[in-house]
Amino acid sequence: MPRVRDSESVPPLDDESTSDSDTDSLFDDEADSGTDTDLDSLLAEEYSDDDDDLYDDEVRHPPEHYRANAANLDVQRLRQRRYSPKTQAQLDRVKEHHEQYCTFQSWDPAKCYDGTSPQFIHGFLSWVCDQRRGKGGRRRPGIKYASSLETFWKCYLIVYKIETGRKLDPMIQVNGQDVVKIVAVEKNLDFTKRPSATMYAEDLAEFARVLLATTEMTFDIGWLRIQLVLFCQLAGITGNRPEALVELRYRHLKLTLIRDPDGGGRPRLFVELTPEFTKGFLGSKDVNEFKIPEIIYDPTLVLSPHVFLLGMLFKARAFKSPSIDCPERLYSLKVLKGLNEQPLPLRDEMNDEFIFCEAVREAQGVRIARELQLSSGSVRYRMKVGGEITGFGQVLKPYNLRDGSAKGLNESPDVSDSLQNKILQHASIGTFLKHYLNDINVDLQGVYRRLDTQKDLMRFACSMSRSIDPRRPRKLTPEQTASVNDLPYIVKLHNRVKDLSNAPVGARKDDRLQKAIKRLYNEKQRKRRELLKDIKERYKTEQPVKDSERQLSGMVVDEDTRDALVGADMSPEQLGLIDAILTLPGKSPEQELQRRITAINAVTLYCGVEEGAPSRHVQRGPPGTVVRSPVQAAEPDAALHQAISSIKTEKRPKVCFVCIGNPHLTMRERVAPYSNPGSLSRHFRRYHVSKLQVGQFIDCMDCGVRLETRKELLIHAERFHGTVSRVPAERLIV
């Protein structure tokens, strides 16, 4: 139906509005006489070439330009842009396997596509399953699950379509599915589904508590620990993929104070995120804007992204208004009368910087490099290790948080299927049913017997917290590690290295020596991993029996094993962070506000703390002895004074004079002595001399001297602080 025009733009056509005189004047030749010349001149000016300067702001190319663009288009790029970089890398890997197999058979890879048959598919997939070496001869586990082989087959079908421009014959595709099953049986692949787990909010709270308190896993700087907790919080709330979260920049972040419609006295702080980099098969998808309101009287601040995000923003001095430099001033702001919101813009120069970033170690200390994106692989590794420290029985992955978010959306009566698909970027609800609904978390007995269902119990039974056991072995003991050296194959490799150890540098024998050393190291690492895996499997099957027998015999003391998660070696800054985050909600609005302000200030302070290596946190002594750190043995001021005195008076001190002057290190790291002067020299070369680049400097806080070159640093360290280096100077000075 055509849209009706506005009545004001169309003049009425009644007799009263249009007179006869007006109509006559419209068609009167005399009225237009004398204007023909003016009209011709106007038309001539309109089509003249003298007005090209009026179009200087427009891009005007000749026809040849567009013909060249059409001729230079690479058609192969069109199909590649349909897939994400991660998927495209997997397709390239399948194509590389196809080319390697054809080369192995002395066939032309291009012609093999045309001759694809069930026999070819059987030979190709069998060869793929037998591969145990990757690039550079590196050992790889290979395909272990039948589902992985099916995925490889699906990727091959896509590669075939890309390379040939057509789909594989339908009959051969059907036969290929049968070949996949035959090869899986022949290679003894596992037909069970890969184990998966769901991380609910309760699991995340326990994981975040351990992550904040543990000293078994340390970070170069506290910022990295804080941002990992924030990453997990946002992954659980928004359900985004890890690749989308690590791409977040400060321009995707918006903070706003919004008036409480219920008439609350203080406006509510909203964090609004707009992830732009989502999974983009067949083009980019609609951008979701997630609005996260602040929860007043939050039961636990461990799950509050506002506390951790604001702590990071104040550390980075991110607010555009210079007066907003602390949480006290932020929470003193109100929404003006007549308005419903108060935007809190961030500095424009931070728009392209990453929220989740890397940290770079320099000669003077660790720098937060917001221009460098945090890799998703780093997040996966940290979450895996943190999950092991927590005691989860499953391997913790970022997608466990997405699974928990998806199930929470599906169970919520406030979220429809359409909204769930939009949040999770799914085409239909079938994706959730196939890939996310992997367990039944309903009390079927209660439903069948029409009793009250035990929802909380069933939710806990399907959560990751159910499997928490801090006693579960996470790494080998020194005795178990040394036992690998007695294996026959390791002894044989060790003897080979010993026989080649006298090879001259640069000779052919020296090359064989380096390969033998590398192989010995890799085999030791592989045997240690196999031993640890075997120990975990035996613990899984034997420990429940031992616990049951001990309980029935009365030999076990029931104690809270979670205390093992928190070490007694935490720094004062880390203890302050834990105390501020784990506080209970306040009884009044003023107390709750002060609770949040204290937590944000603790996060801001800890973001700049350099944690150091975990090996220096625990000083080991003979069995049965208790070794106390200098900070525990004396007051911090006294320990610092003693350390400063040692670098002035001792001929060969054991304390680093550069670390003493670094205020971002914890007091324990600043005054920690090394076992001998040689260990101090290795630390000095590795963390200070080698990190000093052109344009950087190190300030000696004790002497008040700025050292700008490696030569100046080495001379000053040996002459005034007794720290020497046994490495030739030409290898250190550049």
Side-chain angles (χ1 to χ4, degrees):
M1 179 178 177
R3 186 175 298 177
V4 181
R5 290 188 179 181
D6 190 0
S7 58
E8 295 181 358
S9 61
V10 181
L13 299 178
D14 55 358
D15 295 338
E16 296 179 358
S17 62
T18 307
S19 62
D20 295 339
S21 60
D22 295 336
T23 305
D24 293 340
S25 64
L26 290 174
F27 301 99
D28 189 0
D29 294 338
E30 294 181 357
D32 291 338
S33 62
T35 62
D36 294 340
T37 305
D38 297 335
L39 181 60
D40 295 340
S41 61
L42 289 175
L43 292 174
E45 294 178 359
E46 181 72 19
Y47 293 100
S48 65
D49 296 335
D50 298 334
D51 295 335
D52 289 344
D53 58 333
L54 299 178
Y55 304 96
D56 288 342
D57 58 339
E58 298 182 7
V59 179
R60 307 179 70 183
H61 294 297
E64 294 79 6
H65 173 78
Y66 300 102
R67 287 198 294 267
N69 286 345
N72 295 331
L73 176 62
D74 186 6
V75 182
Q76 295 294 332
R77 296 175 55 192
L78 300 180
R79 296 187 181 275
Q80 294 178 3
R81 294 182 62 87
R82 299 174 62 184
Y83 305 99
S84 65
K86 195 173 181 180
T87 304
Q88 187 61 46
Q90 189 172 3
L91 297 178
D92 294 339
R93 191 158 50 247
V94 173
K95 180 182 177 182
E96 182 180 358
H97 276 71
H98 177 267
E99 294 177 351
Q100 291 176 355
Y101 175 70
C102 294
T103 304
F104 175 71
Q105 297 287 359
S106 301
W107 295 338
D108 185 5
K111 295 181 179 179
C112 287
Y113 287 114
D114 298 331
T116 301
S117 63
Q119 293 78 9
F120 173 83
I121 297 172
H122 183 271
F124 176 46
L125 295 182
S126 299
W127 177 85
V128 170
C129 293
D130 292 337
Q131 299 307 300
R132 291 295 182 271
R133 294 288 176 179
K135 292 183 178 179
R138 292 177 294 182
R139 181 183 292 272
R140 62 182 185 183
I143 297 178
K144 296 182 179 180
Y145 289 88
S147 59
S148 301
L149 187 60
E150 292 177 359
T151 302
F152 186 91
W153 164 246
K154 293 176 182 178
C155 292
Y156 176 78
L157 294 177
I158 299 176
V159 172
Y160 180 92
K161 184 178 178 181
I162 293 176
E163 295 300 319
T164 62
R166 66 181 185 278
K167 292 184 178 180
L168 186 63
D169 184 81
M171 183 57 66
I172 298 180
Q173 292 191 35
V174 174
N175 294 334
Q177 292 288 348
D178 298 334
V179 171
V180 170
K181 296 179 181 179
I182 293 174
V183 173
V185 173
E186 292 176 351
K187 300 301 179 181
N188 197 22
L189 301 183
D190 193 348
F191 279 87
T192 60
K193 188 177 180 181
R194 283 191 176 185
S196 60
T198 302
M199 193 173 195
Y200 293 107
E202 299 84 354
D203 308 323
L204 177 57
E206 181 66 18
F207 171 71
R209 184 186 74 84
V210 174
L211 192 62
L212 291 175
T214 183
T215 56
E216 294 186 48
M217 179 175 61
T218 59
F219 300 79
D220 287 341
I221 193 168
W223 176 283
L224 300 179
R225 186 186 294 263
I226 297 299
Q227 78 173 5
L228 181 58
V229 177
L230 178 63
F231 177 92
C232 295
Q233 293 170 346
L234 296 181
I237 294 173
T238 65
N240 267 303
R241 297 177 176 86
E243 289 76 13
L245 288 178
V246 296
E247 288 280 359
L248 281 175
R249 303 173 189 257
Y250 284 94
R251 68 169 180 267
H252 303 137
L253 174 65
K254 184 169 66 173
L255 282 82
T256 310
L257 290 173
I258 297 181
R259 187 184 303 278
D260 190 350
D262 296 334
R266 190 172 62 86
R268 307 290 285 274
L269 178 63
F270 270 72
V271 174
E272 301 178 51
L273 294 174
T274 312
E276 295 180 357
F277 304 91
T278 58
K279 193 174 181 180
F281 176 67
L282 293 179
S284 60
K285 298 183 179 180
D286 295 337
V287 177
N288 291 331
E289 184 178 21
F290 298 94
K291 300 177 177 62
I292 307 175
E294 190 176 25
I295 300 177
I296 306 301
Y297 300 107
D298 196 334
T300 173
L301 296 181
V302 168
L303 298 178
S304 174
H306 299 75
V307 170
F308 289 85
L309 178 61
L310 287 175
M312 295 169 59
L313 292 178
F314 285 120
K315 174 62 179 178
R317 301 184 181 274
F319 288 98
K320 195 171 185 178
S321 174
S323 300
I324 306 179
D325 55 357
C326 61
E328 291 83 356
R329 292 199 171 190
L330 173 65
Y331 283 110
S332 66
L333 295 175
K334 306 292 183 181
V335 177
L336 300 178
K337 292 183 178 180
L339 301 179
N340 292 321
E341 66 174 6
Q342 174 62 49
L344 303 172
L346 305 179
R347 291 191 287 121
D348 296 335
E349 54 268 26
M350 297 182 64
N351 285 341
D352 293 331
E353 295 180 350
F354 293 97
I355 297 178
F356 301 105
C357 60
E358 295 281 1
V360 179
R361 179 172 292 277
E362 298 178 347
Q364 189 73 8
V366 180
R367 178 178 64 88
I368 302 172
R370 289 187 293 271
E371 71 278 5
L372 300 179
Q373 176 188 350
L374 180 68
S375 64
S376 59
S378 174
V379 175
R380 290 188 180 91
Y381 173 76
R382 289 291 189 178
M383 290 188 65
K384 176 185 176 182
V385 177
E388 292 176 351
I389 297 174
T390 306
F392 290 132
Q394 306 87 353
V395 178
L396 183 57
K397 306 174 184 178
Y399 258 83
N400 297 139
L401 293 165
R402 179 172 170 85
D403 290 345
S405 177
K407 291 182 179 178
L409 294 173
N410 186 260
E411 296 172 0
S412 175
D414 299 328
V415 180
S416 63
D417 290 349
S418 301
L419 182 57
Q420 175 182 332
N421 294 334
K422 179 175 177 57
I423 294 174
L424 299 177
Q425 298 285 342
H426 288 166
S428 65
I429 196 66
T431 306
F432 171 81
L433 297 176
K434 182 177 180 181
H435 299 286
Y436 293 83
L437 199 60
N438 50 16
D439 55 5
I440 300 175
N441 56 357
V442 180
D443 183 8
L444 297 179
Q445 179 182 219
V447 173
Y448 176 71
R449 298 176 59 182
R450 304 184 67 178
L451 301 174
D452 293 337
T453 56
Q454 306 176 74
K455 295 182 179 179
D456 294 338
L457 178 61
M458 293 301 300
R459 179 182 174 92
F460 179 76
C462 298
S463 67
M464 297 184 65
S465 297
R466 168 188 174 180
S467 64
I468 288 181
D469 184 2
R471 305 169 303 169
R472 184 178 290 108
R474 190 174 69 87
K475 50 188 176 182
L476 299 176
T477 62
E479 294 78 11
Q480 294 169 344
T481 302
S483 66
V484 174
N485 299 328
D486 298 331
L487 297 176
Y489 185 63
I490 299 298
V491 173
K492 181 179 179 181
L493 291 177
H494 183 75
N495 292 334
R496 180 176 178 81
V497 171
K498 187 176 180 180
D499 294 339
L500 298 173
S501 59
N502 58 353
V505 179
R508 184 177 180 181
K509 192 176 180 181
D510 180 63
D511 184 54
R512 295 167 57 191
L513 172 63
Q514 299 302 323
K515 291 182 179 180
I517 293 175
K518 182 179 179 180
R519 187 172 183 180
L520 175 62
Y521 174 80
N522 293 339
E523 288 298 327
K524 282 186 176 181
Q525 291 293 94
R526 188 169 68 90
K527 293 298 182 181
R528 288 167 185 162
R529 288 194 297 266
E530 292 177 355
L531 178 59
L532 180 59
K533 182 179 179 180
D534 180 65
I535 292 175
K536 288 182 177 180
E537 289 295 330
R538 286 193 283 110
Y539 179 89
K540 183 178 179 180
T541 56
E542 298 175 3
Q543 190 63 34
V545 179
K546 294 180 181 179
D547 291 342
S548 299
E549 292 296 326
R550 289 175 180 175
Q551 288 188 56
L552 295 175
S553 62
M555 297 177 57
V556 66
V557 179
D558 189 12
E559 59 183 8
D560 190 359
T561 57
R562 290 180 302 174
D563 293 341
L565 299 176
V566 182
D569 198 44
M570 288 191 294
S571 64
E573 294 85 355
Q574 193 172 4
L575 286 172
L577 175 67
I578 296 298
D579 292 340
I581 294 296
L582 298 183
T583 54
L584 296 176
K587 297 181 179 180
S588 64
E590 292 76 16
Q591 292 179 350
E592 176 64 16
L593 179 61
Q594 186 58 43
R595 172 198 182 208
R596 290 182 172 276
I597 291 176
T598 303
I600 294 172
N601 285 328
V603 171
T604 303
L605 176 63
Y606 194 77
C607 280
V609 174
E610 296 183 20
E611 298 184 5
S615 58
R616 290 187 60 193
H617 284 177
V618 181
Q619 297 187 22
R620 305 192 181 277
T625 61
V626 178
V627 182
R628 303 181 63 191
S629 66
V631 181
Q632 294 174 333
E635 294 296 328
D637 292 341
L640 181 62
H641 178 75
Q642 181 181 357
I644 294 176
S645 176
S646 67
I647 64 174
K648 291 182 177 180
T649 58
E650 296 182 9
K651 183 178 180 181
R652 292 294 305 277
K654 302 177 183 179
V655 182
C656 179
F657 74 95
V658 180
C659 294
I660 289 179
N662 187 353
H664 299 294
L665 289 173
T666 62
M667 185 58 66
R668 179 182 291 105
E669 292 292 332
R670 294 176 66 181
V671 303
Y674 288 84
S675 58
N676 52 65
S679 298
L680 173 60
S681 298
R682 288 191 294 270
H683 159 82
F684 179 68
R685 295 195 305 267
R686 184 179 304 170
Y687 290 98
H688 301 299
V689 179
S690 63
K691 300 296 182 180
L692 185 59
Q693 305 298 329
V694 179
Q696 300 179 359
F697 58 86
I698 290 180
D699 289 328
C700 180
M701 306 301 294
D702 180 61
C703 303
V705 178
R706 172 163 294 184
L707 309 170
E708 299 182 351
T709 63
R710 294 183 181 181
K711 181 178 180 180
E712 294 177 356
L713 177 61
L714 290 170
I715 294 175
H716 181 85
E718 183 174 356
R719 180 175 299 175
F720 297 98
H721 302 292
T723 302
V724 300
S725 175
R726 301 183 183 278
V727 178
E730 59 269 11
R731 293 177 56 184
L732 296 176
I733 301 176
V734 293

